[in-house]
Amino acid sequence: MKIAHLKIPGNVFLAPMSNVTNLPFRLMCKKYGASMTYSEMISSDAVIYGNSKTMVRGISSEEDRPFGIQLFGNSTQVMKTAARKIEEMFSPDVIDINFGCPANILTKDGCGSALLQSPDKIHKIVKELTETLTTPVTAKIRILKDVEKTLEIARLIEKGGACAVTVHGRTRQQQYSGKADHSHVRRIKQELNIPVIANGDIVDELSAKEIFDYTGCDGVMIGRAAMGNPFLFKRISYYLMTGKELEYDEGTQRARDLREYFDLLEEHDLMHTVNIRAQAQWFTSGIRNGRHIRRNIATAKNIEEIIQSIQKISDRH
Ligand SMILES: Cc1cc2nc3c(=O)[nH]c(=O)nc-3n(C[C@H](O)[C@H](O)[C@H](O)COP(=O)(O)O)c2cc1C
């Protein structure tokens, strides 16, 4: 598929996730077949103030391409300045605007999903960013209860010049509860001309296929199910290509992946930016003897001990 002039080598995307989708994790998802990945969301205010912790989120590398950097904010002017700075510093393939985050820390300042209350402002932000940047602009939204209202926002995003829209099938009020409703994305896809990407509750091969079939979307975007599980992209791409499920040993795979992830964090000097224990827990969720290993991780005194507990997973399998 294509986003503006950009050729995307497939249609399975990694969702932007704070504290998850750093460069090493994106590289692993890419290696396993993610067609495109997004950075953790970046505050436009923090970009303007040059907050170094924030700027780390923009770090990328050539193997990471195509990648998007996601920006949030609520002042068009500040977002424009921040987006230009991001374009100059990191040259992302896409700049995505966050109109979906329901976290109070964003919505109290009128950012993220709070903007869904103000369709005209969404239009203005998209339009002005599109006019200011040479980088294609995309947007990520949540649904509103009323399909027509969601559709209206999607139309304004397209009219503003965005090159693609991602739709998470939950309302702001739902946060992460309930099931994602993909009827909105189906309706949006019927009407818009830009690529439409469906997001929410895609957890495996079958759910990916079902959502493609039901919505007719151009791409699917995976969030939580990929946490600690970058290999999911290989499984899904394989299934979409062949109609068959890939056979593999989950424990061995997860252990190998966690070790590689730690190595990449070291290589890119990013170990200090993540909560090692939390990341290790994700990589061990859902595996045999996982509870025992997670207990060891929780009480480990240092990274060496965490690595030793993980090592035991692959020794056992
Ligand atoms: C830990 C975490 C962090 C997230 N951070 C972001 C973010 O920075 N930007 C964003 O647009 N959405 C963010 N999301 C939402 C996801 O991108 C995605 O829309 C949501 O999880 C639904 O997809 P899923 O059902 O595949 O997880 C985050 C979700 C989680 C669980």
Side-chain angles (χ1 to χ4, degrees):
M1 71 180 268
K2 270 181 130 184
I3 293 183
H5 59 275
L6 187 68
K7 213 163 173 253
I8 312 288
N11 49 13
V12 185
F13 293 67
L14 171 68
M17 286 186 285
S18 278
N19 302 317
V20 181
T21 58
N22 53 34
L23 172 63
F25 188 70
R26 296 199 305 268
L27 289 175
M28 293 198 64
C29 293
K30 204 37 92 44
K31 174 181 110 168
Y32 286 131
S35 317
M36 176 156 170
T37 62
Y38 290 86
S39 73
E40 310 166 66
M41 62 183 170
I42 296 184
S43 149
S44 32
D45 283 335
V47 173
I48 303 278
Y49 296 122
N51 178 320
S52 59
K53 252 186 165 171
T54 289
M55 298 319 268
V56 162
R57 294 184 164 201
I59 292 175
S60 180
S61 68
E62 270 316 300
E63 314 102 272
D64 192 26
R65 292 192 183 279
F67 77 102
I69 290 188
Q70 195 195 51
L71 197 62
F72 74 87
N74 103 321
S75 148
T76 314
Q77 197 49 50
V78 171
M79 289 180 84
K80 269 166 63 173
T81 312
R84 265 192 244 115
K85 194 165 167 186
I86 280 181
E87 189 172 60
E88 210 179 285
M89 285 182 76
F90 303 116
S91 311
D93 297 289
V94 154
I95 293 185
D96 187 67
I97 314 171
N98 182 323
F99 295 123
C101 181
N104 190 40
I105 190 159
L106 265 76
T107 54
K108 72 177 171 37
D109 295 330
C111 305
S113 61
L115 284 161
L116 296 171
Q117 313 291 324
S118 317
D120 291 344
K121 184 140 189 202
I122 287 187
H123 178 247
K124 185 164 188 263
I125 292 173
V126 173
K127 186 167 184 294
E128 295 207 14
L129 259 70
T130 302
E131 285 169 1
T132 301
L133 301 170
T134 49
T135 309
V137 172
T138 60
K140 181 162 176 282
I141 62 172
R142 279 185 174 240
I143 59 169
L144 295 155
K145 264 195 185 146
D146 180 4
V147 179
E148 285 309 312
K149 286 198 174 140
T150 314
L151 186 57
E152 182 54 25
I153 287 181
R155 278 193 200 111
L156 287 169
I157 286 172
E158 180 172 63
K159 194 170 152 216
C163 300
V165 63
T166 301
V167 184
H168 176 189
R170 283 190 180 80
T171 62
R172 168 186 177 183
Q173 291 71 22
Q174 277 181 291
Q175 301 256 340
Y176 291 91
S177 68
K179 258 184 80 68
D181 175 357
H182 293 290
S183 61
H184 294 238
V185 78
R186 179 185 161 98
R187 182 81 184 83
I188 291 169
K189 175 59 197 163
Q190 284 163 355
E191 191 169 315
L192 261 57
N193 293 309
I194 55 173
V196 177
I197 300 158
N199 169 239
D201 295 349
I202 297 163
V203 295
D204 55 17
E205 297 86 340
L206 285 182
S207 48
K209 174 83 170 70
E210 267 170 30
I211 287 164
F212 269 119
D213 290 347
Y214 171 64
T215 63
C217 62
D218 300 279
V220 293
M221 179 182 274
I222 301 170
R224 289 163 298 171
M227 286 164 68
N229 191 13
F231 192 73
L232 181 60
F233 286 98
K234 177 133 185 174
R235 283 172 41 200
I236 292 181
S237 324
Y238 182 81
Y239 183 78
L240 293 174
M241 238 159 38
T242 64
K244 292 192 195 115
E245 287 186 19
L246 194 63
E247 290 196 13
Y248 72 106
D249 181 305
E250 181 150 36
T252 309
Q253 189 62 50
R254 295 271 189 123
R256 202 184 290 148
D257 288 343
L258 180 62
R259 232 172 296 131
E260 186 177 337
Y261 176 59
F262 278 163
D263 288 346
L264 283 168
L265 282 168
E266 293 262 24
E267 189 184 319
H268 292 277
D269 195 19
L270 289 170
M271 199 60 114
H272 63 286
T273 66
V274 300
N275 178 339
I276 298 292
R277 234 180 276 274
Q279 308 263 334
Q281 304 283 19
W282 296 332
F283 275 78
T284 55
S285 84
I287 59 168
R288 203 155 26 111
N289 290 317
R291 201 182 320 152
H292 170 70
I293 288 153
R294 280 195 295 283
R295 211 179 305 130
N296 287 347
I297 291 171
T299 54
K301 290 187 200 67
N302 50 43
I303 287 175
E304 286 320 307
E305 282 192 18
I306 292 178
I307 291 176
Q308 277 168 22
S309 353
I310 303 297
Q311 178 70 51
K312 287 184 197 142
I313 309 175
S314 51
D315 290 343
R316 259 194 222 123
H317 283 83

Coordinates of all heavy atoms in Angstrom, one line a residue, residues 173-220:
Q173 N -14.4 7.3 26.3 CA -14.9 6.9 27.6 C -14.6 5.4 27.8 O -14.4 5.0 29.0 CB -16.4 7.1 27.6 CG -16.9 8.5 27.6 CD -16.7 9.2 26.3 OE1 -16.6 8.6 25.2 NE2 -16.6 10.6 26.3
Q174 N -14.5 4.6 26.8 CA -14.2 3.2 27.0 C -12.8 2.9 27.5 O -12.5 1.9 28.0 CB -14.4 2.4 25.7 CG -15.8 2.0 25.4 CD -15.9 1.2 24.1 OE1 -15.7 1.8 23.1 NE2 -16.2 -0.1 24.2
Q175 N -11.9 3.9 27.3 CA -10.5 3.7 27.5 C -10.0 2.4 26.8 O -10.0 2.4 25.6 CB -10.2 3.6 29.0 CG -10.7 4.9 29.7 CD -9.5 5.8 30.1 OE1 -8.4 5.4 30.2 NE2 -9.8 7.0 30.4
Y176 N -9.8 1.3 27.5 CA -9.4 0.1 26.9 C -10.4 -1.0 27.2 O -10.1 -2.2 27.0 CB -7.9 -0.3 27.3 CG -6.9 0.7 26.7 CD1 -6.5 1.8 27.5 CD2 -6.4 0.5 25.5 CE1 -5.7 2.7 26.9 CE2 -5.5 1.4 24.9 CZ -5.2 2.5 25.6 OH -4.3 3.4 25.1
S177 N -11.5 -0.7 27.7 CA -12.5 -1.7 28.1 C -13.4 -2.1 27.0 O -13.5 -1.4 26.0 CB -13.3 -1.3 29.3 OG -14.1 -0.2 28.9
G178 N -14.2 -3.2 27.1 CA -15.1 -3.6 26.1 C -14.4 -4.0 24.9 O -13.2 -4.2 24.8
K179 N -15.2 -4.3 23.8 CA -14.6 -4.8 22.6 C -14.5 -3.6 21.6 O -15.4 -2.8 21.5 CB -15.5 -5.9 22.0 CG -14.9 -7.3 22.3 CD -15.8 -8.3 21.6 CE -15.6 -8.5 20.1 NZ -14.3 -9.1 19.8
A180 N -13.5 -3.6 20.7 CA -13.4 -2.6 19.7 C -14.6 -2.8 18.7 O -14.9 -4.0 18.3 CB -12.1 -2.7 19.0
D181 N -15.2 -1.7 18.3 CA -16.3 -1.8 17.3 C -15.7 -1.3 15.9 O -15.4 -0.1 15.8 CB -17.4 -0.9 17.8 CG -18.5 -0.7 16.8 OD1 -18.5 -1.3 15.7 OD2 -19.5 0.0 17.1
H182 N -15.6 -2.3 15.0 CA -15.0 -1.9 13.7 C -16.0 -1.5 12.7 O -15.7 -1.3 11.5 CB -14.1 -3.1 13.2 CG -13.0 -3.3 14.1 ND1 -11.9 -2.4 14.2 CD2 -12.7 -4.3 15.0 CE1 -11.0 -2.8 15.1 NE2 -11.5 -4.0 15.6
S183 N -17.3 -1.3 13.1 CA -18.3 -0.9 12.1 C -18.0 0.5 11.6 O -18.3 0.9 10.5 CB -19.7 -1.0 12.6 OG -19.9 -0.2 13.8
H184 N -17.4 1.3 12.5 CA -17.1 2.7 12.1 C -16.0 2.7 11.1 O -16.1 3.5 10.1 CB -16.6 3.5 13.4 CG -17.6 3.7 14.4 ND1 -18.0 4.9 14.9 CD2 -18.4 2.8 15.1 CE1 -19.0 4.8 15.8 NE2 -19.2 3.5 16.0
V185 N -15.0 1.9 11.3 CA -13.9 1.9 10.3 C -14.4 1.4 8.9 O -14.0 1.9 7.9 CB -12.7 1.1 10.8 CG1 -12.8 -0.4 10.7 CG2 -11.4 1.5 10.1
R186 N -15.3 0.4 9.0 CA -15.9 -0.1 7.7 C -16.6 1.0 7.0 O -16.4 1.2 5.8 CB -16.9 -1.2 8.1 CG -17.6 -1.9 7.0 CD -18.6 -2.8 7.7 NE -19.7 -3.2 6.9 CZ -19.7 -4.3 6.2 NH1 -18.7 -5.2 6.3 NH2 -20.8 -4.6 5.4
R187 N -17.4 1.8 7.7 CA -18.1 2.9 7.1 C -17.2 4.0 6.6 O -17.3 4.5 5.5 CB -19.0 3.5 8.2 CG -19.9 4.6 7.8 CD -21.2 4.1 7.1 NE -21.9 5.2 6.7 CZ -21.7 5.9 5.6 NH1 -20.8 5.6 4.8 NH2 -22.5 7.0 5.3
I188 N -16.1 4.3 7.4 CA -15.1 5.3 6.9 C -14.4 4.8 5.6 O -14.3 5.6 4.7 CB -14.1 5.6 8.1 CG1 -14.8 6.3 9.2 CG2 -12.9 6.4 7.6 CD1 -14.0 6.4 10.5
K189 N -14.1 3.6 5.6 CA -13.4 3.0 4.5 C -14.3 3.1 3.2 O -13.8 3.4 2.1 CB -13.0 1.6 4.7 CG -12.3 0.8 3.5 CD -11.1 1.5 3.0 CE -10.7 1.0 1.6 NZ -9.8 1.9 0.9
Q190 N -15.6 2.9 3.4 CA -16.5 3.0 2.2 C -16.5 4.4 1.6 O -16.7 4.6 0.4 CB -17.9 2.7 2.6 CG -18.1 1.2 2.8 CD -19.4 0.9 3.6 OE1 -20.1 1.8 4.1 NE2 -19.7 -0.4 3.7
E191 N -16.2 5.4 2.4 CA -16.3 6.8 1.9 C -15.0 7.5 1.6 O -14.9 8.3 0.7 CB -17.1 7.6 2.9 CG -17.5 8.9 2.3 CD -18.5 9.7 3.1 OE1 -19.5 9.0 3.6 OE2 -18.3 10.9 3.3
L192 N -14.0 7.2 2.4 CA -12.7 8.0 2.2 C -11.9 7.5 1.0 O -12.0 6.3 0.7 CB -11.9 8.0 3.5 CG -12.0 9.2 4.4 CD1 -13.5 9.5 4.8 CD2 -11.1 9.1 5.6
N193 N -11.1 8.4 0.5 CA -10.2 8.0 -0.6 C -8.8 7.7 -0.1 O -8.0 7.0 -0.7 CB -10.1 9.0 -1.7 CG -11.4 9.1 -2.3 OD1 -12.0 8.1 -2.8 ND2 -12.0 10.3 -2.4
I194 N -8.4 8.3 1.1 CA -7.1 8.0 1.7 C -7.1 6.6 2.3 O -8.1 6.1 2.7 CB -6.6 9.1 2.7 CG1 -7.7 9.3 3.8 CG2 -6.4 10.4 2.0 CD1 -7.2 10.2 4.9
P195 N -5.9 6.0 2.5 CA -5.8 4.7 3.2 C -6.4 4.8 4.6 O -6.2 5.8 5.3 CB -4.4 4.4 3.3 CG -3.7 5.2 2.2 CD -4.6 6.4 2.0
V196 N -7.2 3.7 5.0 CA -7.8 3.7 6.3 C -7.2 2.4 7.0 O -7.2 1.3 6.5 CB -9.3 3.6 6.2 CG1 -10.0 3.4 7.5 CG2 -9.9 4.8 5.4
I197 N -6.7 2.6 8.2 CA -6.1 1.6 9.0 C -6.9 1.3 10.2 O -7.3 2.2 10.9 CB -4.6 2.0 9.4 CG1 -3.8 2.3 8.1 CG2 -4.0 0.9 10.2 CD1 -2.6 3.2 8.3
A198 N -7.3 0.0 10.4 CA -8.1 -0.4 11.5 C -7.3 -0.8 12.7 O -6.2 -1.5 12.5 CB -9.0 -1.6 11.1
N199 N -7.7 -0.4 13.9 CA -6.9 -0.7 15.1 C -7.9 -1.1 16.2 O -9.0 -0.5 16.3 CB -6.1 0.5 15.5 CG -5.4 0.4 16.8 OD1 -5.7 1.3 17.7 ND2 -4.6 -0.6 17.1
G200 N -7.5 -2.0 17.0 CA -8.2 -2.4 18.2 C -8.5 -3.9 18.2 O -9.2 -4.4 17.3
D201 N -7.9 -4.6 19.2 CA -8.2 -6.0 19.5 C -7.7 -6.9 18.3 O -8.3 -8.0 18.2 CB -9.7 -6.2 19.7 CG -10.2 -5.6 21.0 OD1 -9.3 -5.1 21.8 OD2 -11.4 -5.5 21.2
I202 N -6.7 -6.5 17.6 CA -6.1 -7.5 16.7 C -5.0 -8.2 17.4 O -4.0 -7.6 17.9 CB -5.6 -6.8 15.4 CG1 -6.8 -6.1 14.7 CG2 -4.9 -7.8 14.5 CD1 -6.4 -5.1 13.7
V203 N -5.3 -9.5 17.7 CA -4.4 -10.2 18.6 C -3.7 -11.4 18.0 O -2.7 -11.9 18.6 CB -5.2 -10.6 19.9 CG1 -5.7 -9.5 20.7 CG2 -6.3 -11.6 19.5
D204 N -4.1 -11.8 16.9 CA -3.5 -13.0 16.2 C -3.9 -13.1 14.8 O -4.4 -12.1 14.2 CB -4.0 -14.3 17.0 CG -5.5 -14.4 17.0 OD1 -6.2 -13.7 16.2 OD2 -6.1 -15.2 17.8
E205 N -3.5 -14.2 14.1 CA -3.7 -14.3 12.7 C -5.2 -14.1 12.3 O -5.5 -13.4 11.4 CB -3.3 -15.7 12.2 CG -1.8 -16.1 12.4 CD -1.5 -16.7 13.8 OE1 -2.3 -16.4 14.8 OE2 -0.4 -17.3 14.0
L206 N -6.1 -14.8 13.0 CA -7.5 -14.8 12.6 C -8.1 -13.5 12.8 O -8.9 -13.0 12.0 CB -8.2 -15.9 13.5 CG -8.0 -17.3 13.1 CD1 -8.8 -18.3 13.9 CD2 -8.3 -17.5 11.6
S207 N -7.8 -12.8 13.9 CA -8.5 -11.5 14.2 C -8.0 -10.5 13.1 O -8.7 -9.6 12.6 CB -8.3 -11.0 15.6 OG -6.9 -11.1 16.0
A208 N -6.7 -10.6 12.7 CA -6.2 -9.7 11.6 C -7.0 -10.0 10.3 O -7.5 -9.0 9.7 CB -4.7 -10.0 11.4
K209 N -7.1 -11.2 10.0 CA -7.8 -11.6 8.7 C -9.3 -11.1 8.8 O -9.8 -10.6 7.8 CB -7.7 -13.1 8.5 CG -8.4 -13.7 7.3 CD -7.6 -13.5 6.0 CE -8.2 -14.2 4.9 NZ -9.4 -13.7 4.3
E210 N -9.9 -11.4 9.9 CA -11.3 -11.1 10.1 C -11.6 -9.6 9.9 O -12.5 -9.1 9.2 CB -11.8 -11.4 11.5 CG -12.4 -12.8 11.5 CD -12.7 -13.2 13.0 OE1 -12.9 -12.4 13.9 OE2 -12.6 -14.4 13.2
I211 N -10.7 -8.8 10.5 CA -10.9 -7.3 10.4 C -10.6 -6.8 9.0 O -11.3 -5.9 8.5 CB -10.0 -6.6 11.5 CG1 -10.8 -6.9 12.8 CG2 -9.9 -5.1 11.3 CD1 -10.0 -6.6 14.0
F212 N -9.6 -7.4 8.3 CA -9.5 -7.0 6.9 C -10.7 -7.3 6.1 O -11.2 -6.5 5.3 CB -8.3 -7.8 6.2 CG -7.0 -7.1 6.4 CD1 -5.9 -7.7 7.0 CD2 -6.7 -5.9 5.7 CE1 -4.7 -7.1 7.1 CE2 -5.5 -5.3 5.8 CZ -4.5 -5.9 6.5
D213 N -11.3 -8.5 6.3 CA -12.4 -9.0 5.5 C -13.7 -8.1 5.9 O -14.4 -7.7 5.0 CB -12.7 -10.4 5.8 CG -11.6 -11.3 5.2 OD1 -10.8 -10.8 4.4 OD2 -11.6 -12.5 5.6
Y214 N -13.9 -7.9 7.1 CA -15.1 -7.2 7.6 C -15.1 -5.7 7.2 O -16.1 -5.2 6.7 CB -15.3 -7.3 9.1 CG -16.4 -6.4 9.6 CD1 -17.7 -6.7 9.3 CD2 -16.1 -5.4 10.5 CE1 -18.7 -5.9 9.7 CE2 -17.1 -4.6 11.0 CZ -18.4 -4.8 10.6 OH -19.5 -4.0 11.0
T215 N -13.9 -5.0 7.3 CA -13.9 -3.6 7.1 C -13.5 -3.2 5.7 O -13.8 -2.1 5.3 CB -12.9 -2.9 8.1 OG1 -11.6 -3.4 7.8 CG2 -13.3 -3.2 9.6
G216 N -12.7 -4.1 5.0 CA -12.2 -3.7 3.7 C -11.0 -2.7 3.9 O -10.6 -2.0 2.9
C217 N -10.5 -2.6 5.1 CA -9.5 -1.5 5.4 C -8.2 -1.8 4.6 O -8.0 -2.9 4.1 CB -9.1 -1.5 6.9 SG -8.5 -3.1 7.5
D218 N -7.4 -0.8 4.5 CA -6.1 -0.9 3.8 C -5.0 -1.5 4.6 O -4.1 -2.1 4.1 CB -5.7 0.5 3.3 CG -6.7 1.1 2.4 OD1 -6.8 0.8 1.2 OD2 -7.5 1.9 2.9
G219 N -5.1 -1.3 5.9 CA -4.1 -1.9 6.8 C -4.7 -2.2 8.2 O -5.7 -1.6 8.5
V220 N -4.0 -3.0 8.9 CA -4.4 -3.2 10.3 C -3.2 -2.7 11.2 O -2.0 -2.9 10.8 CB -4.7 -4.6 10.7 CG1 -6.0 -5.1 10.0 CG2 -3.6 -5.6 10.3

